[in-house]
Amino acid sequence: PSFIPEALKQALPAVSQYPSVAGTPVLRTAAADYLGRRFRVRIDPATQVLPTAGSKEAIFHLALAVVEPASGRDTVVYGTPGYPVYQSGALFAGGREHPVQLQRERGYRLELERLPAEVLARTAIAWLNYPHNPTGACVDRVYLAAQADVARANGILLASDECYQDLWFDGAEPPPSLLEVTTTGVLAFHSCSKRSGMTGYRSGFVAGDAALIGSFRGWRAHMGVGSPTFIEHAAAMAWSDDAHAAARRAVFAQKFRVLVDGLAAKGIEVLPSRAGLYIWARVPGGAAADAYAQRCLERGIVISPGGFFGAGSDDWFRLALVPSVEECRTALAAWPV
Ligand SMILES: Cc1ncc(COP(=O)(O)O)c(C=O)c1O
């Protein structure tokens, strides 16, 4: 929406200065107010919010800040299929990766309570991501509370990647935040990229446990990841407005419906989903996902083979709800089965 670039232009300073790692109070307050409106949680903007340059860098850097390879706490737990940065952060930090195969019949939930005690005892960070990339799976507060209990009992930092929280489909229950069940020992990662279509601005924030936010802030001072104040001003305007997020949500919901119905009519199995930016579907005819992606590409359709998101998903593919509704319809007409 035009008010966001306008806000950025208005905030461009005549004299450029280094931004602060803590971010502007205006952005921290806008983020805390958003969390209050959307999730009914009370977050202190001074101590419990930390602006980031998009959520990817913060997700990556968390492992570098927290994992201590020489200590007994060297492991990062995450679900597979999943967003690949949880793994790359762990490996660059010299930590141990612990991917957990997410099962369709268990709702693609990462269940910490099912991990061996030996793994929990050495885990520094456990990552949750619901609505889930790539499957669109969602969870409820009961699940989140159970994960928070296991994390607390085992001294694990529970990190929740919540960049798709505002993209739910028609009539669905808005996805909850981990912050609704606790702010102790947890961090939630939010982004302007999906909610406001601001991928190029690189802006997000982390919110949660004040002690963890304080130490992450101190650590990030070394990384040069402070966001320019004019970006933060535009981001503050975006977090303060819910109407544009609702309008984007309606467009994604429409694309989701068009594609799900169109794929179902062609006999392609689609995972039912309530939220997110993706469709997770089974490759038709038992073909390998890579070969099927190539066939789609020959017809001008870009899909991501399930294997891109980790081992064990080779018979699935992911569609991103990025093209226009018209382009989705055109793609369906050419869709290979
Ligand atoms: C699950 C997930 N988390 C985080 C990100 C990073 O988004 P950004 O860095 O734009 O905030 C993405 C981007 O696709 C994602 O899919």
Side-chain angles (χ1 to χ4, degrees):
S2 58
F3 78 88
I4 294 174
E6 276 313 315
L8 181 138
K9 283 186 221 157
Q10 306 253 316
L12 269 175
V15 177
S16 158
Q17 291 185 305
Y18 282 116
S20 82
V21 174
T24 60
V26 172
L27 175 53
R28 279 186 270 124
T29 302
D33 288 350
Y34 158 77
L35 293 171
R37 286 194 313 280
R38 170 70 177 81
F39 303 109
R40 307 247 168 269
V41 289
R42 282 175 65 129
I43 294 291
D44 176 7
T47 59
Q48 292 185 281
V49 179
L50 183 58
T52 62
S55 58
K56 181 177 182 178
E57 63 85 1
I59 291 166
F60 180 83
H61 285 135
L62 184 70
L64 287 163
V66 170
V67 171
E68 292 178 38
S71 77
R73 290 277 177 185
D74 63 353
T75 301
V76 177
V77 169
Y78 53 88
T80 183
Y83 182 57
V85 180
Y86 317 126
Q87 177 198 34
S88 53
L91 297 181
F92 272 86
R96 266 201 271 184
E97 54 182 321
H98 190 87
V100 177
Q101 188 70 53
L102 305 180
Q103 308 286 347
R104 181 186 182 179
E105 49 284 6
R106 303 198 66 83
Y108 290 102
R109 290 168 179 225
L110 173 58
E111 295 164 303
L112 291 175
E113 63 276 25
R114 293 166 75 91
L115 295 185
E118 169 273 318
V119 173
L120 294 173
R122 61 177 160 84
T123 296
I125 304 170
W127 278 104
L128 306 180
N129 167 224
Y130 300 100
H132 181 228
N133 177 5
T135 66
C138 292
V139 293
D140 58 16
R141 287 176 196 83
V142 174
Y143 162 85
L144 292 171
Q147 300 316 301
D149 285 348
V150 180
R152 188 181 312 110
N154 289 278
I156 295 168
L157 192 174
L158 189 60
S160 181
D161 179 352
E162 304 192 342
C163 65
Y164 298 112
Q165 239 63 7
D166 276 3
L167 303 182
W168 65 89
F169 303 139
D170 332 286
E173 181 85 354
S177 167
L178 177 61
L179 300 175
E180 293 178 44
V181 301
T182 183
T183 56
T184 305
V186 306
L187 293 175
F189 290 66
H190 285 263
S191 171
C192 288
S193 294
K194 325 291 177 178
R195 178 179 185 271
S196 302
M198 292 171 66
T199 49
Y201 286 67
R202 310 312 301 132
S203 189
F205 67 84
V206 188
D209 187 296
L212 292 172
I213 290 283
S215 59
F216 198 26
R217 185 197 301 120
W219 192 89
R220 285 166 61 83
H222 301 278
M223 299 299 297
V225 283
S227 250
T229 51
F230 42 93
I231 297 283
E232 294 203 345
H233 181 70
M237 296 296 117
W239 289 117
S240 303
D241 179 76
D242 297 327
H244 77 285
R248 278 175 67 74
R249 179 157 63 238
V251 173
F252 287 125
Q254 192 191 357
K255 295 184 205 178
F256 181 78
R257 192 43 48 223
V258 165
L259 282 168
V260 165
D261 291 350
L263 292 175
K266 289 181 178 283
I268 295 178
E269 181 187 352
V270 174
L271 192 84
S273 167
R274 294 189 279 114
L277 195 57
Y278 305 108
I279 289 177
W280 188 240
R282 205 188 276 279
V283 178
D290 284 351
Y292 185 62
Q294 190 54 42
R295 277 180 64 205
C296 288
L297 200 57
E298 282 157 14
R299 299 186 182 200
I301 302 164
V302 180
I303 63 168
S304 305
F308 277 17
F309 307 97
S313 299
D314 291 330
D315 46 350
W316 292 83
F317 67 93
R318 191 197 76 173
L319 277 181
L321 301 172
V322 175
S324 67
V325 176
E326 245 355 274
E327 287 169 323
C328 291
R329 291 206 170 96
T330 309
L332 281 170
W335 209 279
V337 282

